Amino acid sequence: MYNLDFKEDRPLDLVGVGRLCIDLNADQFNRPMEETKSFTKYVGGSPANITIGAARLGLKPGFIGKVSDDQMGRFIVEYLDGDNIDTTNIAVDHTGAVTGLAFTEIKSPEDCSILMYRDNVADLKLSTDDVSEDYIKNAKALHISGTALAASPSREAVFLALEYARKHEVVVIFDIDYRPYTWNNDKETATYYNLAAEKCDVIIGTRDEFDMMEQFEKEKKSDEETASKWFSHHAEIVVIKHGAKGSFAYTKDGNSHTSGTFKTKVLKTFGAGDSYASAFIYGLFKQWDLSKAMEYGSASAAIVISRHSCSDAMPTTNEIEDFMSKAERQGIS
Ligand SMILES: Nc1ncnc2c1ncn2[C@@H]1O[C@H](COP(=O)(O)OP(=O)(O)O)[C@@H](O)[C@H]1O
Ligand SMILES: O=C(O)C[C@@H](O)[C@H](O)C(=O)COP(=O)(O)O
Protein backbone atom coordinates (compact mmCIF):
# COMPACT_ATOMS: atom_id res chain seq x y z
CA MET A 1 0.00 0.00 0.00
CA TYR A 2 0.93 3.65 0.13
CA ASN A 3 1.09 6.35 2.79
CA LEU A 4 -0.80 9.48 1.67
CA ASP A 5 -2.33 11.48 4.49
CA PHE A 6 -5.34 13.34 3.05
CA LYS A 7 -6.57 15.64 5.85
CA GLU A 8 -10.27 14.77 5.84
CA ASP A 9 -11.40 17.97 7.64
CA ARG A 10 -10.35 20.22 4.76
CA PRO A 11 -13.08 21.58 2.42
CA LEU A 12 -11.17 21.28 -0.86
CA ASP A 13 -10.10 17.89 -2.18
CA LEU A 14 -7.79 18.65 -5.07
CA VAL A 15 -6.43 22.09 -6.03
CA GLY A 16 -4.98 22.28 -9.51
CA VAL A 17 -2.16 24.68 -10.36
CA GLY A 18 -1.27 25.82 -13.88
CA ARG A 19 -2.60 26.01 -17.38
CA LEU A 20 -6.15 27.08 -18.18
CA CYS A 21 -6.39 27.12 -21.95
CA ILE A 22 -8.59 26.39 -24.90
CA ASP A 23 -8.54 23.25 -27.02
CA LEU A 24 -9.58 23.77 -30.62
CA ASN A 25 -10.18 20.26 -31.88
CA ALA A 26 -10.46 19.69 -35.62
CA ASP A 27 -14.00 18.94 -36.72
CA GLN A 28 -12.79 17.33 -39.94
CA PHE A 29 -10.50 14.59 -38.69
CA ASN A 30 -8.51 11.78 -40.24
CA ARG A 31 -6.78 14.42 -42.35
CA PRO A 32 -3.96 16.99 -41.84
CA MET A 33 -4.84 20.28 -40.19
CA GLU A 34 -4.13 22.08 -43.46
CA GLU A 35 -7.36 20.52 -44.73
CA THR A 36 -9.38 21.37 -41.63
CA LYS A 37 -12.07 24.01 -42.06
CA SER A 38 -13.51 24.23 -38.55
CA PHE A 39 -12.71 23.47 -34.95
CA THR A 40 -14.76 22.93 -31.79
CA LYS A 41 -13.81 24.96 -28.75
CA TYR A 42 -13.35 23.22 -25.39
CA VAL A 43 -11.71 24.19 -22.12
CA GLY A 44 -8.21 22.73 -22.14
CA GLY A 45 -4.91 22.72 -20.40
CA SER A 46 -3.76 19.52 -18.75
CA PRO A 47 -4.26 20.67 -15.13
CA ALA A 48 -7.67 22.09 -16.05
CA ASN A 49 -8.65 18.80 -17.68
CA ILE A 50 -7.54 16.79 -14.65
CA THR A 51 -9.41 19.13 -12.30
CA ILE A 52 -12.56 18.86 -14.43
CA GLY A 53 -12.18 15.08 -14.48
CA ALA A 54 -11.90 15.01 -10.69
CA ALA A 55 -15.04 17.13 -10.37
CA ARG A 56 -16.97 14.81 -12.71
CA LEU A 57 -16.05 11.93 -10.37
CA GLY A 58 -17.45 13.76 -7.37
CA LEU A 59 -14.38 15.31 -5.77
CA LYS A 60 -14.48 18.97 -4.65
CA PRO A 61 -11.69 20.69 -6.60
CA GLY A 62 -10.27 24.17 -6.60
CA PHE A 63 -7.77 25.88 -8.89
CA ILE A 64 -4.89 28.34 -8.71
CA GLY A 65 -4.36 29.90 -12.11
CA LYS A 66 -4.63 33.00 -14.26
CA VAL A 67 -6.88 33.67 -17.25
CA SER A 68 -6.99 36.36 -19.91
CA ASP A 69 -9.27 39.37 -19.42
CA ASP A 70 -11.52 38.55 -22.37
CA GLN A 71 -14.25 36.23 -23.59
CA MET A 72 -11.94 33.18 -23.54
CA GLY A 73 -10.95 33.81 -19.94
CA ARG A 74 -14.57 34.24 -18.93
CA PHE A 75 -15.59 31.10 -20.85
CA ILE A 76 -13.02 29.06 -18.92
CA VAL A 77 -14.07 30.33 -15.47
CA GLU A 78 -17.77 29.90 -16.23
CA TYR A 79 -17.14 26.34 -17.43
CA LEU A 80 -15.28 25.43 -14.23
CA ASP A 81 -18.05 27.05 -12.14
CA GLY A 82 -20.50 24.83 -14.00
CA ASP A 83 -18.59 21.77 -12.80
CA ASN A 84 -18.72 22.97 -9.17
CA ILE A 85 -14.99 23.74 -9.17
CA ASP A 86 -13.98 26.52 -6.78
CA THR A 87 -12.70 29.39 -8.97
CA THR A 88 -12.12 31.98 -6.24
CA ASN A 89 -8.34 31.70 -6.71
CA ILE A 90 -8.29 32.08 -10.47
CA ALA A 91 -6.81 35.51 -11.14
CA VAL A 92 -7.51 37.66 -14.20
CA ASP A 93 -4.57 39.04 -16.11
CA HIS A 94 -4.59 42.79 -16.86
CA THR A 95 -1.45 43.02 -18.98
CA GLY A 96 -3.17 42.07 -22.24
CA ALA A 97 -2.00 38.47 -22.11
CA VAL A 98 -4.03 35.96 -24.09
CA THR A 99 -5.41 32.47 -23.58
CA GLY A 100 -3.21 29.63 -24.76
CA LEU A 101 -4.61 27.70 -27.69
CA ALA A 102 -4.09 24.02 -28.45
CA PHE A 103 -5.07 23.22 -32.03
CA THR A 104 -5.39 19.47 -32.35
CA GLU A 105 -4.75 17.58 -35.53
CA ILE A 106 -6.23 14.11 -35.94
CA LYS A 107 -4.57 12.58 -39.02
CA SER A 108 -5.63 9.12 -37.86
CA PRO A 109 -6.53 7.52 -34.54
CA GLU A 110 -2.85 6.72 -34.05
CA ASP A 111 -1.40 9.91 -35.55
CA CYS A 112 -2.53 12.95 -33.60
CA SER A 113 -0.61 16.09 -32.78
CA ILE A 114 -1.14 19.36 -31.03
CA LEU A 115 -0.18 22.76 -32.36
CA MET A 116 0.11 25.06 -29.35
CA TYR A 117 -0.02 28.85 -29.55
CA ARG A 118 1.60 29.97 -26.31
CA ASP A 119 3.08 33.42 -26.83
CA ASN A 120 2.21 35.90 -24.07
CA VAL A 121 -0.21 33.50 -22.40
CA ALA A 122 -2.04 34.44 -19.21
CA ASP A 123 -1.41 31.11 -17.48
CA LEU A 124 2.34 31.77 -17.31
CA LYS A 125 1.65 35.23 -15.79
CA LEU A 126 0.50 33.50 -12.58
CA SER A 127 2.63 35.07 -9.85
CA THR A 128 3.44 34.50 -6.20
CA ASP A 129 0.90 37.26 -5.38
CA ASP A 130 -1.80 34.94 -6.77
CA VAL A 131 -0.85 32.03 -4.50
CA SER A 132 -2.78 32.01 -1.21
CA GLU A 133 -1.41 30.09 1.76
CA ASP A 134 -4.89 29.99 3.32
CA TYR A 135 -6.33 28.49 0.14
CA ILE A 136 -3.70 25.77 -0.01
CA LYS A 137 -3.92 24.87 3.68
CA ASN A 138 -7.63 24.18 3.14
CA ALA A 139 -6.86 21.54 0.53
CA LYS A 140 -6.28 17.80 0.96
CA ALA A 141 -4.10 17.71 -2.15
CA LEU A 142 -2.39 19.97 -4.65
CA HIS A 143 -1.97 18.89 -8.26
CA ILE A 144 0.83 20.59 -10.18
CA SER A 145 1.47 20.51 -13.93
CA GLY A 146 5.13 20.61 -14.93
CA THR A 147 4.43 23.03 -17.75
CA ALA A 148 3.66 25.72 -15.17
CA LEU A 149 7.42 25.68 -14.43
CA ALA A 150 8.26 26.77 -17.97
CA ALA A 151 8.53 30.50 -17.35
CA SER A 152 8.53 33.16 -14.65
CA PRO A 153 6.51 34.33 -12.79
CA SER A 154 4.48 31.11 -13.01
CA ARG A 155 7.61 29.13 -12.08
CA GLU A 156 8.04 30.98 -8.78
CA ALA A 157 4.31 30.72 -8.08
CA VAL A 158 4.54 26.94 -8.35
CA PHE A 159 7.51 26.74 -6.00
CA LEU A 160 5.68 28.93 -3.47
CA ALA A 161 2.61 26.70 -3.72
CA LEU A 162 4.90 23.73 -3.11
CA GLU A 163 6.35 25.39 0.00
CA TYR A 164 2.88 26.10 1.39
CA ALA A 165 1.78 22.54 0.62
CA ARG A 166 4.75 21.01 2.40
CA LYS A 167 4.26 23.40 5.36
CA HIS A 168 0.58 22.43 5.74
CA GLU A 169 0.98 18.71 4.99
CA VAL A 170 -0.98 18.91 1.74
CA VAL A 171 -0.44 15.87 -0.48
CA VAL A 172 1.31 17.00 -3.69
CA ILE A 173 0.66 15.25 -6.98
CA PHE A 174 3.02 16.16 -9.82
CA ASP A 175 1.96 15.43 -13.38
CA ILE A 176 5.09 15.92 -15.47
CA ASP A 177 3.03 17.12 -18.45
CA TYR A 178 6.09 17.98 -20.53
CA ARG A 179 5.27 20.18 -23.53
CA PRO A 180 8.47 21.05 -25.43
CA TYR A 181 6.96 24.10 -27.16
CA THR A 182 7.00 26.00 -23.88
CA TRP A 183 10.65 25.54 -22.79
CA ASN A 184 13.93 27.11 -23.89
CA ASN A 185 16.20 24.07 -23.66
CA ASP A 186 16.36 20.56 -22.18
CA LYS A 187 18.81 21.37 -19.38
CA GLU A 188 16.68 24.22 -18.10
CA THR A 189 13.64 21.97 -18.27
CA ALA A 190 15.20 19.11 -16.34
CA THR A 191 16.66 21.48 -13.74
CA TYR A 192 13.28 22.94 -12.79
CA TYR A 193 11.42 19.64 -13.10
CA ASN A 194 13.85 17.98 -10.69
CA LEU A 195 13.60 20.82 -8.16
CA ALA A 196 9.81 20.43 -8.14
CA ALA A 197 9.57 16.63 -8.35
CA GLU A 198 11.84 16.25 -5.31
CA LYS A 199 9.10 17.85 -3.15
CA CYS A 200 6.17 15.78 -4.43
CA ASP A 201 4.37 12.75 -2.98
CA VAL A 202 3.01 11.31 -6.22
CA ILE A 203 4.74 11.67 -9.60
CA ILE A 204 2.93 10.72 -12.79
CA GLY A 205 4.50 10.75 -16.24
CA THR A 206 5.23 8.81 -19.37
CA ARG A 207 8.53 6.96 -19.77
CA ASP A 208 9.75 9.68 -22.12
CA GLU A 209 8.86 12.40 -19.62
CA PHE A 210 10.82 10.67 -16.86
CA ASP A 211 13.75 10.24 -19.27
CA MET A 212 13.67 14.00 -19.92
CA MET A 213 13.69 14.69 -16.16
CA GLU A 214 16.50 12.19 -15.56
CA GLN A 215 18.70 13.32 -18.45
CA PHE A 216 21.56 14.29 -16.07
CA GLU A 217 21.90 10.65 -14.95
CA LYS A 218 24.82 8.54 -16.22
CA GLU A 219 22.47 6.27 -18.20
CA LYS A 220 18.79 5.81 -18.89
CA LYS A 221 16.88 4.26 -16.00
CA SER A 222 14.47 1.36 -15.94
CA ASP A 223 11.03 2.00 -14.48
CA GLU A 224 12.15 0.40 -11.22
CA GLU A 225 15.29 2.55 -11.07
CA THR A 226 13.23 5.65 -11.79
CA ALA A 227 10.86 4.84 -8.95
CA SER A 228 13.74 4.19 -6.57
CA LYS A 229 15.31 7.55 -7.44
CA TRP A 230 12.16 9.49 -6.59
CA PHE A 231 11.53 7.47 -3.40
CA SER A 232 14.91 8.77 -2.22
CA HIS A 233 13.30 12.22 -2.24
CA HIS A 234 9.68 12.70 -1.15
CA ALA A 235 7.71 10.38 -3.39
CA GLU A 236 5.36 7.73 -2.02
CA ILE A 237 4.02 6.69 -5.44
CA VAL A 238 5.57 6.80 -8.92
CA VAL A 239 3.37 6.08 -11.94
CA ILE A 240 4.93 5.48 -15.33
CA LYS A 241 2.55 5.45 -18.29
CA HIS A 242 3.36 3.52 -21.46
CA GLY A 243 0.61 4.58 -23.85
CA ALA A 244 -1.43 1.78 -25.38
CA LYS A 245 0.79 -0.77 -23.64
CA GLY A 246 -0.53 0.21 -20.21
CA SER A 247 0.99 1.62 -17.04
CA PHE A 248 3.21 0.71 -14.08
CA ALA A 249 3.01 2.05 -10.53
CA TYR A 250 5.49 1.70 -7.69
CA THR A 251 5.11 2.39 -3.98
CA LYS A 252 7.83 3.28 -1.50
CA ASP A 253 7.24 0.03 0.42
CA GLY A 254 8.67 -1.85 -2.56
CA ASN A 255 5.44 -3.03 -4.16
CA SER A 256 4.70 -2.57 -7.85
CA HIS A 257 1.51 -2.76 -9.88
CA THR A 258 0.75 -3.00 -13.56
CA SER A 259 -2.37 -2.09 -15.48
CA GLY A 260 -3.31 -3.05 -19.00
CA THR A 261 -5.76 -1.10 -21.06
CA PHE A 262 -9.33 -1.38 -22.27
CA LYS A 263 -10.23 -2.01 -25.89
CA THR A 264 -11.86 1.12 -27.28
CA LYS A 265 -12.66 2.77 -30.61
CA VAL A 266 -9.92 5.38 -30.64
CA LEU A 267 -10.88 8.70 -32.22
CA LYS A 268 -7.77 10.53 -30.95
CA THR A 269 -5.02 9.68 -28.48
CA PHE A 270 -4.63 12.98 -26.66
CA GLY A 271 -6.66 13.28 -23.51
CA ALA A 272 -5.50 9.83 -22.41
CA GLY A 273 -3.04 11.13 -19.83
CA ASP A 274 -5.32 13.71 -18.27
CA SER A 275 -8.29 11.37 -17.98
CA TYR A 276 -6.07 8.59 -16.62
CA ALA A 277 -4.63 10.98 -14.01
CA SER A 278 -8.01 12.32 -12.82
CA ALA A 279 -9.49 8.86 -12.31
CA PHE A 280 -6.29 7.49 -10.77
CA ILE A 281 -6.21 10.39 -8.30
CA TYR A 282 -9.88 9.72 -7.50
CA GLY A 283 -8.82 6.16 -6.61
CA LEU A 284 -6.17 7.53 -4.25
CA PHE A 285 -8.78 9.66 -2.48
CA LYS A 286 -10.91 6.53 -2.11
CA GLN A 287 -7.80 4.79 -0.67
CA TRP A 288 -8.13 2.01 -3.22
CA ASP A 289 -5.40 -0.49 -3.92
CA LEU A 290 -3.17 1.00 -6.66
CA SER A 291 -4.18 -1.68 -9.16
CA LYS A 292 -7.83 -0.62 -8.86
CA ALA A 293 -6.94 3.08 -9.15
CA MET A 294 -4.85 2.35 -12.25
CA GLU A 295 -7.67 0.31 -13.80
CA TYR A 296 -10.07 3.21 -13.17
CA GLY A 297 -7.62 5.56 -14.83
CA SER A 298 -7.23 3.24 -17.80
CA ALA A 299 -11.00 2.99 -18.21
CA SER A 300 -11.41 6.76 -18.05
CA ALA A 301 -8.66 7.15 -20.66
CA ALA A 302 -10.28 4.60 -22.96
CA ILE A 303 -13.55 6.53 -22.77
CA VAL A 304 -11.97 9.94 -23.42
CA ILE A 305 -9.85 8.87 -26.39
CA SER A 306 -12.99 7.54 -28.05
CA ARG A 307 -14.57 11.00 -27.83
CA HIS A 308 -13.80 14.29 -29.63
CA SER A 309 -12.83 16.42 -26.64
CA CYS A 310 -10.83 16.02 -23.48
CA SER A 311 -12.56 18.21 -20.86
CA ASP A 312 -16.14 17.75 -22.09
CA ALA A 313 -15.49 14.03 -22.42
CA MET A 314 -14.37 13.47 -18.83
CA PRO A 315 -16.65 10.69 -17.52
CA THR A 316 -18.64 10.26 -14.31
CA THR A 317 -18.23 7.26 -12.03
CA ASN A 318 -21.39 5.73 -13.52
CA GLU A 319 -19.93 6.04 -17.03
CA ILE A 320 -16.63 4.48 -15.99
CA GLU A 321 -18.26 1.59 -14.14
CA ASP A 322 -20.69 0.93 -16.97
CA PHE A 323 -17.79 0.95 -19.43
CA MET A 324 -15.70 -1.38 -17.25
CA SER A 325 -18.56 -3.86 -17.03
CA LYS A 326 -18.74 -4.18 -20.82
CA ALA A 327 -15.29 -3.40 -22.25
CA GLU A 328 -12.67 -5.96 -23.21
CA ARG A 329 -9.54 -5.79 -21.09
CA GLN A 330 -6.12 -5.86 -22.80
CA GLY A 331 -3.21 -7.05 -20.70
CA ILE A 332 0.00 -5.08 -20.23
CA SER A 333 2.04 -5.47 -23.41
N1 LIG B 1 -4.74 3.32 -27.62
C1 LIG B 1 -5.12 3.19 -26.34
N2 LIG B 1 -6.10 2.32 -26.02
C2 LIG B 1 -6.52 2.17 -24.74
N3 LIG B 1 -5.98 2.86 -23.69
C3 LIG B 1 -5.00 3.75 -23.96
C4 LIG B 1 -4.51 3.97 -25.28
N4 LIG B 1 -3.53 4.92 -25.23
C5 LIG B 1 -3.42 5.27 -23.91
N5 LIG B 1 -4.29 4.57 -23.16
C6 LIG B 1 -4.46 4.66 -21.70
O1 LIG B 1 -4.15 5.98 -21.28
C7 LIG B 1 -3.07 5.98 -20.35
C8 LIG B 1 -2.24 7.22 -20.55
O2 LIG B 1 -1.83 7.27 -21.90
P1 LIG B 1 -0.35 7.78 -22.27
O3 LIG B 1 -0.32 7.95 -23.75
O4 LIG B 1 0.61 6.86 -21.64
O5 LIG B 1 -0.25 9.17 -21.49
P2 LIG B 1 -0.17 10.65 -22.14
O6 LIG B 1 -1.50 10.88 -22.82
O7 LIG B 1 0.04 11.51 -20.95
O8 LIG B 1 0.98 10.63 -23.09
C9 LIG B 1 -2.33 4.67 -20.63
O9 LIG B 1 -1.61 4.25 -19.48
C10 LIG B 1 -3.47 3.73 -20.96
O10 LIG B 1 -4.07 3.27 -19.77
O1 LIG C 1 -2.52 20.54 -22.06
C1 LIG C 1 -2.82 21.24 -23.03
O2 LIG C 1 -2.56 22.46 -23.17
C2 LIG C 1 -3.54 20.52 -24.16
C3 LIG C 1 -4.72 19.72 -23.58
O3 LIG C 1 -5.78 20.60 -23.28
C4 LIG C 1 -5.18 18.66 -24.57
O4 LIG C 1 -6.47 18.22 -24.28
C5 LIG C 1 -4.19 17.55 -24.49
O5 LIG C 1 -3.18 17.58 -25.13
C6 LIG C 1 -4.42 16.49 -23.50
O6 LIG C 1 -3.19 15.80 -23.43
P1 LIG C 1 -2.97 14.41 -22.67
O7 LIG C 1 -4.16 14.11 -21.82
O8 LIG C 1 -1.74 14.64 -21.88
O9 LIG C 1 -2.80 13.39 -23.75
Side-chain angles (χ1 to χ4, degrees), residues 206 241-244 246-247 260-262 264 266 272-273 276 298 301 305:
T206 63
K241 304 174 289 184
H242 287 261
S247 54
T261 59
F262 287 87
T264 187
V266 180
Y276 177 96
S298 300
I305 62 178

Side-chain angles (χ1 to χ4, degrees), residues 25-74:
N25 292 4
D27 289 332
Q28 296 81 32
F29 39 86
N30 296 334
R31 67 191 70 186
M33 200 184 297
E34 290 85 344
E35 296 171 19
T36 299
K37 290 181 68 68
S38 63
F39 298 86
T40 299
K41 176 182 79 173
Y42 303 106
V43 166
S46 180
N49 293 331
I50 292 170
T51 303
I52 291 162
R56 293 275 158 79
L57 297 171
L59 294 180
K60 175 55 186 173
F63 206 92
I64 297 172
K66 183 162 274 187
V67 293
S68 53
D69 186 9
D70 58 20
Q71 294 90 325
M72 291 299 192
R74 290 189 288 275

Side-chain angles (χ1 to χ4, degrees), residues 137-331:
K137 76 179 184 184
N138 278 296
K140 300 180 181 71
L142 194 70
H143 154 250
I144 288 174
S145 147
T147 299
L149 297 164
S152 297
S154 171
R155 178 178 290 162
E156 291 77 10
V158 169
F159 282 114
L160 179 60
L162 271 170
E163 287 306 312
Y164 288 152
R166 290 270 63 92
K167 176 180 175 183
H168 295 288
E169 298 180 288
V170 176
V171 172
V172 182
I173 300 160
F174 185 55
D175 189 305
I176 298 175
D177 180 39
Y178 174 55
R179 309 281 172 160
Y181 351 77
T182 316
W183 290 90
N184 294 322
N185 62 68
D186 276 357
K187 286 183 171 49
E188 175 192 81
T189 307
T191 298
Y192 287 112
Y193 266 101
N194 280 281
L195 288 172
E198 288 168 5
K199 299 173 185 280
C200 296
D201 301 285
V202 181
I203 307 174
I204 304 173
T206 63
R207 183 65 257 170
D208 288 345
E209 289 174 332
F210 277 101
D211 288 345
M212 176 280 296
M213 262 208 313
E214 297 162 359
Q215 62 183 269
F216 302 139
E217 305 284 341
K218 293 190 180 73
E219 52 197 25
K220 281 185 72 167
K221 289 184 177 302
S222 67
D223 286 356
E224 293 78 3
E225 289 166 339
T226 283
S228 176
K229 168 188 172 66
W230 296 107
F231 292 147
S232 71
H233 293 285
H234 205 94
E236 286 289 329
I237 299 172
V238 173
V239 179
I240 305 174
K241 304 174 289 184
H242 287 261
K245 295 176 183 169
S247 54
F248 296 80
Y250 301 85
T251 50
K252 199 168 189 175
D253 64 3
N255 287 318
S256 62
H257 306 259
T258 61
S259 175
T261 59
F262 287 87
K263 193 171 179 60
T264 187
K265 183 166 174 45
V266 180
L267 170 61
K268 48 89 171 100
T269 49
F270 53 86
D274 295 348
S275 45
Y276 177 96
S278 59
F280 175 78
I281 292 167
Y282 174 77
L284 298 182
F285 271 89
K286 303 292 278 185
Q287 297 182 8
W288 288 344
D289 175 85
L290 276 201
S291 298
K292 181 175 181 181
M294 294 164 78
E295 188 182 49
Y296 224 65
S298 300
S300 179
I303 291 167
V304 168
I305 62 178
S306 72
R307 297 175 175 176
H308 190 244
S309 78
C310 185
S311 54
D312 271 19
M314 287 290 181
T316 62
T317 51
N318 287 341
E319 287 177 289
I320 290 178
E321 283 150 26
D322 180 57
F323 175 82
M324 289 172 74
S325 69
K326 298 169 182 168
E328 179 187 340
R329 284 162 169 74
Q330 301 171 137

